[in-house]
Amino acid sequence: MKIAVVGTGYVGLVTGTCFAETGNEVICVDIDADKVARMRNGEVPIYEPDLDVLFERNQRQGRLQFTTNLQEAVDHAEIIFLALPTPPGEDGSADLKYILGVAKELGGMISHYTVVVDKSTVPVGTGERVHAALAEKLDESLFDVVSNPEFLREGVAVDDFLKPDRVVIGTNSDRAQEIMHRLYEPFVRSGNPIIFMDVRSAEMTKYAANSYLATRISFMNEIANLCEIAGADVDAVRRGMGSDSRIGKRFLFPGVGYGGSCFPKDVQALAHTAGQHDYDFRILTSVMAVNDRQRLRIADKLEAYFGDDLKGKTIALWGLAFKPNTDDIREAPALYTIDRLLGAGAQVRAFDPEAMDNVKAIYGDKITFCEDQYEALEGADALAIVTEWSVFRTPNFDRMKSSLNHPVIFDGRNLYDLRRMVEAGFYYDSIGRQVVGE
Protein backbone atom coordinates (compact mmCIF):
# COMPACT_ATOMS: atom_id res chain seq x y z
CA MET A 1 0.00 0.00 0.00
CA LYS A 2 1.11 3.59 -0.58
CA ILE A 3 1.40 5.58 2.63
CA ALA A 4 2.38 9.11 3.62
CA VAL A 5 3.38 9.96 7.18
CA VAL A 6 3.32 13.67 8.01
CA GLY A 7 5.73 14.37 10.85
CA THR A 8 8.93 12.45 11.62
CA GLY A 9 8.99 12.72 15.37
CA TYR A 10 9.03 9.66 17.58
CA VAL A 11 5.63 8.30 16.50
CA GLY A 12 5.91 9.29 12.85
CA LEU A 13 9.34 7.79 12.26
CA VAL A 14 8.54 4.49 13.99
CA THR A 15 5.20 4.30 12.15
CA GLY A 16 6.67 4.98 8.72
CA THR A 17 9.62 2.63 9.18
CA CYS A 18 7.51 -0.26 10.47
CA PHE A 19 4.94 0.08 7.69
CA ALA A 20 7.77 -0.02 5.17
CA GLU A 21 9.10 -3.16 6.88
CA THR A 22 5.93 -5.04 5.87
CA GLY A 23 6.34 -4.12 2.20
CA ASN A 24 4.42 -0.86 1.95
CA GLU A 25 5.74 2.15 0.04
CA VAL A 26 6.16 4.99 2.55
CA ILE A 27 7.00 8.66 2.15
CA CYS A 28 7.65 10.59 5.38
CA VAL A 29 7.19 14.37 5.32
CA ASP A 30 8.79 16.96 7.56
CA ILE A 31 9.19 20.74 7.31
CA ASP A 32 12.71 20.56 8.77
CA ALA A 33 14.88 20.45 5.64
CA ASP A 34 18.06 19.72 7.58
CA LYS A 35 16.45 16.78 9.37
CA VAL A 36 15.11 15.41 6.08
CA ALA A 37 18.57 15.70 4.50
CA ARG A 38 20.13 13.82 7.42
CA MET A 39 17.53 11.04 7.21
CA ARG A 40 18.09 10.75 3.47
CA ASN A 41 21.76 10.24 4.29
CA GLY A 42 20.87 7.36 6.59
CA GLU A 43 20.94 9.16 9.95
CA VAL A 44 18.27 8.13 12.43
CA PRO A 45 17.44 11.28 14.46
CA ILE A 46 16.19 9.48 17.59
CA TYR A 47 17.51 6.64 19.70
CA GLU A 48 15.18 3.64 19.74
CA PRO A 49 16.46 0.05 19.92
CA ASP A 50 16.26 -1.84 16.57
CA LEU A 51 14.90 1.16 14.67
CA ASP A 52 18.22 1.81 12.93
CA VAL A 53 18.29 -1.68 11.39
CA LEU A 54 14.79 -1.37 9.90
CA PHE A 55 15.44 2.22 8.85
CA GLU A 56 18.60 1.34 6.92
CA ARG A 57 17.12 -1.74 5.24
CA ASN A 58 13.90 -0.13 4.05
CA GLN A 59 15.59 3.04 2.88
CA ARG A 60 18.19 1.02 0.96
CA GLN A 61 15.48 -1.10 -0.66
CA GLY A 62 13.46 1.97 -1.68
CA ARG A 63 10.37 1.50 0.49
CA LEU A 64 11.14 4.37 2.88
CA GLN A 65 11.65 7.89 1.52
CA PHE A 66 11.78 11.38 3.01
CA THR A 67 10.69 14.74 1.66
CA THR A 68 9.76 18.28 2.62
CA ASN A 69 7.22 18.40 -0.21
CA LEU A 70 3.74 17.65 1.16
CA GLN A 71 2.16 17.63 -2.29
CA GLU A 72 4.58 14.93 -3.44
CA ALA A 73 3.53 12.72 -0.54
CA VAL A 74 -0.18 13.41 -1.09
CA ASP A 75 0.01 12.50 -4.78
CA HIS A 76 1.67 9.22 -3.80
CA ALA A 77 -0.58 8.15 -0.95
CA GLU A 78 -3.85 6.29 -0.47
CA ILE A 79 -3.46 6.65 3.30
CA ILE A 80 -2.04 9.74 5.04
CA PHE A 81 -1.03 9.49 8.69
CA LEU A 82 -0.88 12.71 10.72
CA ALA A 83 1.85 12.20 13.32
CA LEU A 84 2.25 15.77 14.42
CA PRO A 85 2.99 17.35 17.81
CA THR A 86 0.10 18.13 20.16
CA PRO A 87 1.94 20.04 22.91
CA PRO A 88 0.03 20.93 26.09
CA GLY A 89 -1.13 24.50 26.55
CA GLU A 90 -0.98 26.34 29.86
CA ASP A 91 -4.44 24.98 30.74
CA GLY A 92 -3.40 21.39 29.94
CA SER A 93 -5.33 21.24 26.66
CA ALA A 94 -3.71 19.68 23.60
CA ASP A 95 -2.66 22.26 21.01
CA LEU A 96 -4.09 21.15 17.65
CA LYS A 97 -2.67 23.94 15.49
CA TYR A 98 -0.23 21.66 13.68
CA ILE A 99 -2.80 18.97 12.90
CA LEU A 100 -5.52 21.38 11.81
CA GLY A 101 -3.02 23.42 9.82
CA VAL A 102 -1.89 20.39 7.83
CA ALA A 103 -5.51 19.26 7.40
CA LYS A 104 -6.36 22.58 5.75
CA GLU A 105 -3.36 22.21 3.44
CA LEU A 106 -4.42 18.67 2.51
CA GLY A 107 -7.86 19.94 1.58
CA GLY A 108 -6.32 21.83 -1.31
CA MET A 109 -4.04 18.97 -2.40
CA ILE A 110 -5.98 15.69 -2.39
CA SER A 111 -7.28 14.67 -5.81
CA HIS A 112 -8.21 11.01 -5.26
CA TYR A 113 -9.93 9.09 -2.46
CA THR A 114 -7.65 9.12 0.58
CA VAL A 115 -7.93 7.93 4.17
CA VAL A 116 -6.60 10.62 6.52
CA VAL A 117 -5.56 9.09 9.84
CA ASP A 118 -5.06 10.90 13.15
CA LYS A 119 -2.09 8.99 14.57
CA SER A 120 -1.24 11.71 17.09
CA THR A 121 -2.86 11.58 20.50
CA VAL A 122 -5.74 14.01 20.18
CA PRO A 123 -8.74 15.06 22.32
CA VAL A 124 -12.22 13.70 21.78
CA GLY A 125 -13.83 15.52 18.87
CA THR A 126 -10.61 16.16 16.93
CA GLY A 127 -11.62 13.84 14.11
CA GLU A 128 -14.65 16.02 13.44
CA ARG A 129 -12.49 19.15 13.40
CA VAL A 130 -10.02 17.55 10.98
CA HIS A 131 -12.97 16.50 8.79
CA ALA A 132 -14.28 20.06 8.78
CA ALA A 133 -10.84 21.48 7.92
CA LEU A 134 -10.49 19.11 4.97
CA ALA A 135 -14.05 19.76 3.80
CA GLU A 136 -13.41 23.51 3.45
CA LYS A 137 -11.83 22.85 0.05
CA LEU A 138 -12.40 19.16 -0.60
CA ASP A 139 -15.45 17.16 -1.64
CA GLU A 140 -16.38 14.77 1.18
CA SER A 141 -16.53 11.83 -1.24
CA LEU A 142 -12.74 12.06 -1.64
CA PHE A 143 -11.73 11.36 1.96
CA ASP A 144 -12.50 9.75 5.28
CA VAL A 145 -10.99 10.69 8.62
CA VAL A 146 -9.91 7.83 10.88
CA SER A 147 -8.59 7.78 14.45
CA ASN A 148 -5.77 5.25 15.00
CA PRO A 149 -4.11 5.99 18.35
CA GLU A 150 -0.61 4.65 19.00
CA PHE A 151 0.29 2.56 22.02
CA LEU A 152 4.07 2.57 21.66
CA ARG A 153 6.36 2.26 24.66
CA GLU A 154 9.63 4.08 24.18
CA GLY A 155 12.48 1.61 24.37
CA VAL A 156 10.42 -1.22 22.83
CA ALA A 157 8.44 0.78 20.25
CA VAL A 158 9.52 -1.24 17.23
CA ASP A 159 8.41 -4.49 18.84
CA ASP A 160 5.17 -2.86 20.01
CA PHE A 161 4.38 -1.72 16.47
CA LEU A 162 5.27 -4.97 14.72
CA LYS A 163 3.54 -7.15 17.33
CA PRO A 164 0.77 -5.01 18.86
CA ASP A 165 -1.42 -6.16 21.76
CA ARG A 166 -4.30 -4.61 19.85
CA VAL A 167 -4.95 -2.12 17.07
CA VAL A 168 -7.65 0.48 17.75
CA ILE A 169 -9.32 2.11 14.76
CA GLY A 170 -12.11 4.66 14.92
CA THR A 171 -14.20 5.11 11.79
CA ASN A 172 -17.79 5.17 10.62
CA SER A 173 -16.85 4.41 7.01
CA ASP A 174 -17.00 0.85 5.67
CA ARG A 175 -14.58 1.82 2.90
CA ALA A 176 -12.02 3.23 5.31
CA GLN A 177 -12.47 0.27 7.64
CA GLU A 178 -11.68 -2.20 4.85
CA ILE A 179 -8.52 -0.28 3.89
CA MET A 180 -7.30 -0.01 7.49
CA HIS A 181 -7.99 -3.70 8.11
CA ARG A 182 -5.94 -4.63 5.05
CA LEU A 183 -3.12 -2.37 6.21
CA TYR A 184 -2.90 -3.83 9.73
CA GLU A 185 -3.71 -7.48 8.98
CA PRO A 186 -0.01 -8.48 8.67
CA PHE A 187 0.65 -7.21 12.19
CA VAL A 188 -1.96 -9.35 13.97
CA ARG A 189 -1.39 -12.80 12.49
CA SER A 190 -0.98 -14.24 15.99
CA GLY A 191 -4.62 -13.42 16.72
CA ASN A 192 -4.46 -10.13 18.61
CA PRO A 193 -7.47 -8.00 17.75
CA ILE A 194 -8.09 -5.10 15.43
CA ILE A 195 -10.81 -3.27 17.32
CA PHE A 196 -13.10 -1.03 15.29
CA MET A 197 -15.21 1.63 16.96
CA ASP A 198 -16.47 5.15 16.37
CA VAL A 199 -13.95 7.97 16.10
CA ARG A 200 -14.72 9.61 19.45
CA SER A 201 -14.37 6.32 21.33
CA ALA A 202 -11.00 5.64 19.69
CA GLU A 203 -9.79 9.09 20.71
CA MET A 204 -10.96 8.50 24.27
CA THR A 205 -9.38 5.02 24.42
CA LYS A 206 -5.83 6.37 24.15
CA TYR A 207 -6.31 8.95 26.91
CA ALA A 208 -8.11 6.45 29.13
CA ALA A 209 -5.37 3.83 28.74
CA ASN A 210 -2.47 6.17 29.48
CA SER A 211 -4.27 7.89 32.33
CA TYR A 212 -5.09 4.54 33.95
CA LEU A 213 -1.45 3.45 33.74
CA ALA A 214 -0.34 6.78 35.21
CA THR A 215 -2.88 6.23 38.01
CA ARG A 216 -1.35 2.83 38.82
CA ILE A 217 2.09 4.42 39.03
CA SER A 218 0.95 7.22 41.31
CA PHE A 219 -1.00 4.80 43.49
CA MET A 220 2.07 2.61 43.99
CA ASN A 221 4.19 5.66 44.76
CA GLU A 222 1.73 6.62 47.47
CA ILE A 223 1.84 3.06 48.82
CA ALA A 224 5.64 3.23 48.80
CA ASN A 225 5.68 6.49 50.72
CA LEU A 226 3.29 5.03 53.28
CA CYS A 227 5.43 1.87 53.53
CA GLU A 228 8.43 3.98 54.52
CA ILE A 229 6.45 5.57 57.36
CA ALA A 230 4.68 2.39 58.49
CA GLY A 231 7.72 0.12 58.33
CA ALA A 232 6.50 -2.10 55.50
CA ASP A 233 8.46 -3.19 52.40
CA VAL A 234 6.90 -2.01 49.14
CA ASP A 235 8.61 -4.80 47.17
CA ALA A 236 6.80 -7.41 49.24
CA VAL A 237 3.54 -5.47 48.94
CA ARG A 238 3.99 -5.20 45.17
CA ARG A 239 4.50 -8.95 44.81
CA GLY A 240 1.47 -9.66 46.96
CA MET A 241 -0.69 -7.32 44.92
CA GLY A 242 0.64 -8.40 41.53
CA SER A 243 -0.15 -12.08 42.14
CA ASP A 244 -3.86 -11.18 42.14
CA SER A 245 -5.08 -11.91 38.60
CA ARG A 246 -7.52 -9.00 38.85
CA ILE A 247 -4.61 -6.60 39.33
CA GLY A 248 -1.63 -8.06 37.48
CA LYS A 249 2.07 -7.39 37.87
CA ARG A 250 2.72 -4.53 35.46
CA PHE A 251 3.06 -0.85 36.37
CA LEU A 252 3.34 -1.59 40.09
CA PHE A 253 6.97 -0.56 40.52
CA PRO A 254 7.38 2.53 42.70
CA GLY A 255 9.89 5.20 41.81
CA VAL A 256 10.36 8.91 41.30
CA GLY A 257 7.28 9.48 39.18
CA TYR A 258 6.35 9.15 35.53
CA GLY A 259 7.68 11.34 32.73
CA GLY A 260 8.08 11.23 28.98
CA SER A 261 6.04 12.58 26.11
CA CYS A 262 2.78 10.73 26.83
CA PHE A 263 1.70 10.26 30.43
CA PRO A 264 2.08 13.85 31.72
CA LYS A 265 0.54 15.38 28.60
CA ASP A 266 -2.27 12.84 28.24
CA VAL A 267 -3.36 12.98 31.88
CA GLN A 268 -3.50 16.78 31.67
CA ALA A 269 -5.44 16.66 28.40
CA LEU A 270 -8.01 14.18 29.72
CA ALA A 271 -8.50 16.31 32.84
CA HIS A 272 -8.98 19.35 30.59
CA THR A 273 -11.53 17.46 28.48
CA ALA A 274 -13.41 16.57 31.65
CA GLY A 275 -13.43 20.23 32.65
CA GLN A 276 -14.83 21.22 29.26
CA HIS A 277 -17.75 18.91 29.99
CA ASP A 278 -18.15 20.28 33.54
CA TYR A 279 -16.99 17.00 35.05
CA ASP A 280 -14.68 17.02 38.07
CA PHE A 281 -12.30 14.12 37.38
CA ARG A 282 -10.90 14.06 40.90
CA ILE A 283 -8.76 10.94 40.51
CA LEU A 284 -6.76 12.55 37.70
CA THR A 285 -6.24 15.70 39.75
CA SER A 286 -4.78 13.54 42.51
CA VAL A 287 -2.63 11.55 40.08
CA MET A 288 -1.00 14.74 38.79
CA ALA A 289 -0.48 16.12 42.30
CA VAL A 290 1.13 12.87 43.49
CA ASN A 291 3.46 12.83 40.50
CA ASP A 292 4.47 16.44 40.99
CA ARG A 293 5.60 15.54 44.52
CA GLN A 294 7.12 12.17 43.69
CA ARG A 295 9.55 13.38 41.04
CA LEU A 296 11.24 15.46 43.77
CA ARG A 297 11.44 12.52 46.18
CA ILE A 298 15.17 11.95 45.73
CA ALA A 299 15.92 15.66 46.17
CA ASP A 300 13.83 15.62 49.35
CA LYS A 301 15.81 12.66 50.68
CA LEU A 302 19.12 14.31 49.85
CA GLU A 303 18.14 17.51 51.62
CA ALA A 304 16.93 15.58 54.66
CA TYR A 305 20.19 13.61 54.84
CA PHE A 306 22.43 16.66 54.51
CA GLY A 307 20.34 18.78 56.86
CA ASP A 308 18.77 20.96 54.16
CA ASP A 309 22.23 22.27 53.31
CA LEU A 310 23.40 21.05 49.90
CA LYS A 311 25.54 24.09 49.17
CA GLY A 312 28.98 22.94 48.11
CA LYS A 313 27.96 19.27 48.02
CA THR A 314 28.66 17.21 44.90
CA ILE A 315 25.96 14.74 43.86
CA ALA A 316 26.52 12.00 41.29
CA LEU A 317 23.46 11.37 39.12
CA TRP A 318 22.95 8.08 37.32
CA GLY A 319 20.29 8.37 34.62
CA LEU A 320 18.86 11.38 32.78
CA ALA A 321 16.31 9.94 30.33
CA PHE A 322 12.77 9.57 31.64
CA LYS A 323 13.12 5.78 31.26
CA PRO A 324 15.82 3.36 30.03
CA ASN A 325 16.46 2.55 26.36
CA THR A 326 15.60 6.02 25.10
CA ASP A 327 17.24 9.42 24.83
CA ASP A 328 13.93 11.17 25.55
CA ILE A 329 14.15 13.64 28.44
CA ARG A 330 10.69 15.18 28.17
CA GLU A 331 9.31 15.60 31.71
CA ALA A 332 12.14 13.39 32.98
CA PRO A 333 12.30 13.25 36.80
CA ALA A 334 16.07 13.74 36.53
CA LEU A 335 15.58 17.27 35.24
CA TYR A 336 13.48 18.22 38.25
CA THR A 337 16.11 16.69 40.51
CA ILE A 338 18.88 18.65 38.77
CA ASP A 339 16.96 21.92 39.06
CA ARG A 340 16.41 21.38 42.76
CA LEU A 341 20.06 20.46 43.39
CA LEU A 342 21.44 23.40 41.43
CA GLY A 343 19.00 25.73 43.16
CA ALA A 344 20.30 24.50 46.52
CA GLY A 345 23.89 25.21 45.53
CA ALA A 346 24.99 21.64 44.86
CA GLN A 347 27.24 20.50 42.03
CA VAL A 348 26.04 17.67 39.78
CA ARG A 349 28.10 15.03 37.99
CA ALA A 350 25.87 13.08 35.61
CA PHE A 351 25.97 10.04 33.35
CA ASP A 352 23.38 8.51 31.04
CA PRO A 353 24.08 6.04 28.21
CA GLU A 354 22.03 7.96 25.61
CA ALA A 355 20.47 11.20 26.87
CA MET A 356 23.46 13.39 27.79
CA ASP A 357 23.52 15.40 24.57
CA ASN A 358 19.87 16.34 25.03
CA VAL A 359 20.46 17.40 28.64
CA LYS A 360 23.63 19.26 27.69
CA ALA A 361 21.55 21.38 25.30
CA ILE A 362 19.56 22.59 28.35
CA TYR A 363 22.18 22.96 31.07
CA GLY A 364 25.43 23.49 29.16
CA ASP A 365 28.32 23.63 31.63
CA LYS A 366 26.10 24.03 34.69
CA ILE A 367 26.57 20.33 35.37
CA THR A 368 29.45 17.95 34.63
CA PHE A 369 28.82 15.21 32.07
CA CYS A 370 30.91 12.08 32.53
CA GLU A 371 32.15 9.32 30.22
CA ASP A 372 30.75 6.50 32.36
CA GLN A 373 28.92 5.91 35.63
CA TYR A 374 32.09 5.47 37.65
CA GLU A 375 33.58 8.77 36.54
CA ALA A 376 30.42 10.46 37.80
CA LEU A 377 31.17 9.13 41.31
CA GLU A 378 34.63 10.68 41.59
CA GLY A 379 34.65 13.18 44.45
CA ALA A 380 30.88 12.98 44.96
CA ASP A 381 29.29 13.13 48.39
CA ALA A 382 26.38 10.89 47.40
CA LEU A 383 24.94 8.99 44.44
CA ALA A 384 21.37 9.48 43.24
CA ILE A 385 19.93 6.88 40.84
CA VAL A 386 17.06 8.25 38.77
CA THR A 387 16.80 6.02 35.66
CA GLU A 388 16.99 2.21 35.78
CA TRP A 389 19.38 1.54 32.90
CA SER A 390 20.56 -2.10 32.85
CA VAL A 391 24.19 -1.00 33.13
CA PHE A 392 23.44 0.29 36.64
CA ARG A 393 21.95 -2.98 37.91
CA THR A 394 25.11 -4.96 38.71
CA PRO A 395 27.88 -2.42 39.32
CA ASN A 396 31.24 -2.87 40.98
CA PHE A 397 30.33 -1.87 44.52
CA ASP A 398 33.94 -1.82 45.70
CA ARG A 399 34.84 0.63 42.93
CA MET A 400 31.79 2.72 43.78
CA LYS A 401 32.73 2.87 47.43
CA SER A 402 36.31 3.93 46.72
CA SER A 403 35.21 6.64 44.25
CA LEU A 404 32.61 8.32 46.44
CA ASN A 405 33.63 10.67 49.26
CA HIS A 406 31.03 8.89 51.38
CA PRO A 407 29.35 5.51 50.67
CA VAL A 408 25.87 7.02 50.34
CA ILE A 409 23.26 6.01 47.74
CA PHE A 410 19.75 7.35 47.16
CA ASP A 411 18.03 4.95 44.79
CA GLY A 412 14.89 6.19 43.05
CA ARG A 413 14.38 2.87 41.22
CA ASN A 414 15.03 0.23 43.94
CA LEU A 415 17.76 -1.49 41.93
CA TYR A 416 19.63 -3.17 44.77
CA ASP A 417 18.96 -5.77 47.44
CA LEU A 418 18.92 -4.31 50.95
CA ARG A 419 21.00 -7.07 52.50
CA ARG A 420 23.61 -6.77 49.76
CA MET A 421 23.92 -3.04 50.45
CA VAL A 422 24.45 -3.65 54.15
CA GLU A 423 27.17 -6.19 53.37
CA ALA A 424 28.82 -3.74 50.94
CA GLY A 425 28.88 -1.04 53.64
CA PHE A 426 26.63 1.58 52.04
CA TYR A 427 24.11 3.96 53.50
CA TYR A 428 21.24 3.09 51.17
CA ASP A 429 17.90 4.92 50.96
CA SER A 430 15.42 3.69 48.35
CA ILE A 431 11.68 4.07 47.68
CA GLY A 432 9.17 2.41 50.00
CA ARG A 433 11.77 0.29 51.84
CA GLN A 434 13.69 0.69 55.07
CA VAL A 435 16.86 2.76 55.08
CA VAL A 436 19.90 0.54 55.72
CA GLY A 437 23.44 1.33 56.80
CA GLU A 438 22.40 4.16 59.10
Side-chain angles (χ1 to χ4, degrees):
M1 303 181 78
K2 295 183 177 181
I3 297 168
V5 179
V6 184
T8 60
Y10 193 89
V11 172
L13 191 58
V14 172
T15 296
T17 303
C18 289
F19 276 138
E21 177 67 11
T22 53
N24 300 294
E25 298 175 17
V26 180
I27 296 181
C28 294
V29 189
D30 203 287
I31 61 172
D32 186 335
D34 178 65
K35 184 180 182 182
V36 168
R38 287 187 284 116
M39 290 188 291
R40 283 176 171 171
N41 288 328
E43 180 181 336
V44 182
I46 60 172
Y47 174 75
E48 176 62 33
D50 302 323
L51 181 61
D52 55 345
V53 177
L54 273 60
F55 182 98
E56 187 278 330
R57 176 166 60 229
N58 286 283
Q59 188 179 37
R60 173 168 43 84
Q61 296 178 358
R63 290 187 299 272
L64 182 61
Q65 301 178 50
F66 302 93
T67 184
T68 58
N69 189 328
L70 183 59
Q71 184 69 66
E72 176 189 354
V74 170
D75 292 342
H76 157 88
E78 56 189 309
I79 308 172
I80 300 174
F81 283 85
L82 304 182
L84 295 154
T86 54
E90 292 184 5
D91 60 357
S93 62
D95 188 343
L96 299 178
K97 64 182 178 184
Y98 301 111
I99 288 177
L100 297 180
V102 170
K104 289 182 180 180
E105 287 188 69
L106 293 176
M109 295 180 175
I110 291 173
S111 59
H112 57 273
Y113 177 77
T114 305
V115 178
V116 178
V117 183
D118 282 332
K119 193 65 175 172
S120 306
T121 301
V122 294
V124 175
T126 300
E128 294 157 25
R129 296 181 66 182
V130 170
H131 189 283
L134 287 162
E136 288 180 10
K137 298 180 181 178
L138 186 62
D139 189 285
E140 294 187 14
S141 65
L142 289 178
F143 73 94
D144 279 304
V145 175
V146 168
S147 174
N148 174 215
E150 54 85 14
F151 298 98
L152 305 178
R153 295 168 297 163
E154 293 191 41
V156 288
V158 170
D159 199 51
D160 281 348
F161 198 103
L162 296 176
K163 294 179 286 187
D165 289 335
R166 78 293 201 196
V167 176
V168 172
I169 297 172
T171 180
N172 297 317
S173 163
D174 291 340
R175 186 177 183 182
Q177 178 170 324
E178 192 279 329
I179 290 171
M180 296 299 290
H181 187 277
R182 184 155 49 94
L183 175 65
Y184 273 108
E185 198 169 21
F187 298 93
V188 293
R189 296 182 64 192
S190 62
N192 288 346
I194 301 176
I195 305 171
F196 290 97
M197 59 186 71
D198 63 276
V199 173
R200 283 189 166 231
S201 295
E203 292 166 342
M204 180 65 82
T205 296
K206 173 58 187 287
Y207 281 117
N210 275 0
S211 296
Y212 177 68
L213 294 175
T215 300
R216 283 174 69 103
I217 293 170
S218 284
F219 180 82
M220 282 309 297
N221 284 334
E222 288 283 74
I223 290 293
N225 295 340
L226 181 58
C227 282
E228 290 184 21
I229 300 169
D233 186 325
V234 74
D235 283 347
V237 174
R238 171 179 56 78
R239 291 192 296 270
M241 290 175 60
S243 62
D244 188 325
S245 61
R246 297 169 300 176
I247 297 173
K249 300 176 182 179
R250 301 179 70 179
F251 284 84
L252 294 182
F253 287 87
V256 286
Y258 57 78
S261 63
C262 292
F263 285 5
K265 176 171 66 69
D266 293 353
V267 172
Q268 289 179 25
L270 185 56
H272 182 267
T273 296
Q276 287 180 312
H277 291 82
D278 296 322
Y279 183 75
D280 182 9
F281 208 143
R282 285 174 286 181
I283 289 178
L284 287 190
T285 302
S286 296
V287 166
M288 290 185 285
V290 168
N291 200 61
D292 286 344
R293 293 196 307 269
Q294 196 69 20
R295 58 194 178 192
L296 294 171
R297 193 82 174 105
I298 288 295
D300 289 341
K301 287 175 176 286
L302 282 162
E303 288 190 346
Y305 179 82
F306 288 108
D308 292 330
D309 184 12
L310 289 172
K311 189 172 183 179
K313 301 296 183 184
T314 298
I315 307 300
L317 201 66
W318 280 7
L320 298 170
F322 86 93
K323 63 180 289 188
N325 298 320
T326 182
D327 61 354
D328 195 341
I329 60 169
R330 287 174 286 185
E331 294 296 317
L335 303 188
Y336 292 91
T337 303
I338 290 170
D339 288 342
R340 180 84 163 267
L341 294 175
L342 294 179
Q347 298 179 23
V348 177
R349 297 175 59 83
F351 172 74
D352 186 283
E354 294 294 338
M356 289 199 292
D357 286 344
N358 291 337
V359 176
K360 193 176 295 184
I362 298 174
Y363 292 98
D365 59 1
K366 292 180 181 178
I367 66 177
T368 301
F369 296 93
C370 301
E371 291 295 322
D372 62 38
Q373 65 265 40
Y374 297 109
E375 183 184 335
L377 302 177
E378 294 174 5
D381 297 296
L383 165 64
I385 302 172
V386 188
T387 311
E388 65 273 34
W389 284 92
S390 295
V391 72
F392 302 152
R393 291 185 179 276
T394 53
N396 183 326
F397 289 114
D398 290 337
R399 185 176 177 184
M400 292 171 66
K401 195 172 181 180
S402 64
S403 298
L404 287 162
N405 287 341
H406 310 285
V408 176
I409 299 176
F410 295 89
D411 184 356
R413 299 298 178 181
N414 290 4
L415 297 188
Y416 307 132
D417 177 74
L418 297 180
R419 186 173 62 181
R420 176 72 181 88
M421 299 312 292
V422 171
E423 293 171 352
F426 283 92
Y427 175 94
Y428 182 67
D429 189 350
S430 51
I431 305 294
R433 306 187 294 180
Q434 71 179 93
V435 178
V436 297
E438 294 181 274

